[in-house]
Amino acid sequence: RKKKMNKRKIFLLTGQPGTGKTTAVQKIYDGLKTKYKISGFVTEEVRNTTKTNRIGFDVVDLSSGSRSSLARLISDNSGNNNLPIVGRFKVNIPDFEKITLPILNQVSNQTSDLDLCIIDEIGKMELFSDQFVEKMRSILTTTTIPIICTVALKGQGFISEIKKYKGVELIEITAFNRNNIVQMIID
């Protein structure tokens, strides 16, 4: 690690699904991980064995590579039938929290030596976790380190709330600007 990052800054990267928000934060992580201590997670698509169909989403710890299910197709008969549903997917809150809550606890611990936090994403599925929402609310209003989050373009409640927080820079990612945004944040 070379140097500390600049003061607290919150970047909220938003945009239509498929515009490259997750790819952008992954590139930011890859560009900064050798210089800074970074904690966070990304949400990755899970495809069937032939890679033709999306069957769900996993949440992946950036530091350890540990992963857990965030959501699976409703037709996938595995597990709990009392899980919340978003579109065609059952959202697995216990598995999501298994990865994300320890990361958020580390970030909210003001004595940790973290330089940056990356959260991908704050969206409809993730908001079914009350603990996630409360931890994120606390982190976004009190933490002293820079934070980069992806957030749904549209949404009520917590999604619209965080876009109004003090110190937030809301950036809409498009296919045309995503590489420039990555470079701007890395610099």
Side-chain angles (χ1 to χ4, degrees):
R1 281 193 9 216
K2 296 179 179 114
K3 55 185 176 165
K4 282 299 229 186
M5 294 196 89
N6 291 334
K7 62 187 181 335
R8 178 179 185 265
K9 180 96 180 152
I10 301 170
F11 293 101
L12 293 183
L13 306 182
T14 191
Q16 295 288 343
T19 53
K21 297 181 296 293
T22 297
T23 302
V25 293
Q26 188 68 59
K27 284 181 179 177
I28 292 165
Y29 175 73
D30 290 342
L32 296 175
K33 68 183 176 186
T34 58
K35 299 180 191 136
Y36 300 105
K37 183 164 182 190
I38 304 171
S39 186
F41 64 88
V42 292
T43 303
E44 293 182 353
E45 249 186 20
V46 178
R47 296 208 162 251
N48 63 358
T49 49
T50 59
K51 307 272 188 238
T52 51
N53 295 315
R54 180 192 296 160
I55 59 168
F57 299 92
D58 278 357
V59 61
V60 183
D61 182 322
L62 285 168
S63 303
S64 70
S66 299
R67 65 190 314 125
S68 198
S69 169
L70 168 61
R72 289 295 182 267
L73 281 174
I74 293 168
S75 59
D76 175 0
N77 291 321
S78 61
N80 188 338
N81 288 325
N82 297 323
L83 297 172
I85 292 173
V86 174
R88 304 175 355 228
F89 299 97
K90 281 191 291 193
V91 182
N92 191 330
I93 299 306
D95 279 6
F96 169 72
E97 290 177 341
K98 196 167 29 178
I99 295 284
T100 59
L101 294 182
I103 291 167
L104 298 181
N105 286 334
Q106 180 192 20
V107 173
S108 63
N109 175 0
Q110 297 294 331
T111 61
S112 95
D113 62 346
L114 284 178
D115 297 311
L116 175 66
C117 171
I118 295 176
I119 303 295
D120 173 49
E121 83 175 312
I122 301 170
K124 214 180 268 186
M125 290 183 187
E126 294 81 1
L127 297 187
F128 281 106
S129 167
D130 294 336
Q131 290 183 79
F132 173 77
V133 171
E134 287 313 308
K135 281 276 179 215
M136 284 305 304
R137 183 175 281 126
S138 171
I139 288 167
L140 291 171
T141 55
T142 65
T143 193
T144 56
I145 64 166
I147 302 169
I148 301 169
C149 300
T150 61
V151 63
L153 184 62
K154 296 177 177 139
Q156 304 304 310
F158 189 61
I159 292 170
S160 61
E161 175 188 320
I162 61 174
K163 292 176 182 177
K164 299 172 189 153
Y165 282 177
K166 185 178 181 219
V168 162
E169 186 170 340
L170 186 64
I171 303 168
E172 186 167 347
I173 299 269
T174 67
F176 304 106
N177 73 2
R178 71 175 159 228
N179 293 330
N180 294 342
I181 299 291
V182 167
Q183 202 52 54
M184 177 199 79
I185 291 174
I186 288 176
D187 294 342

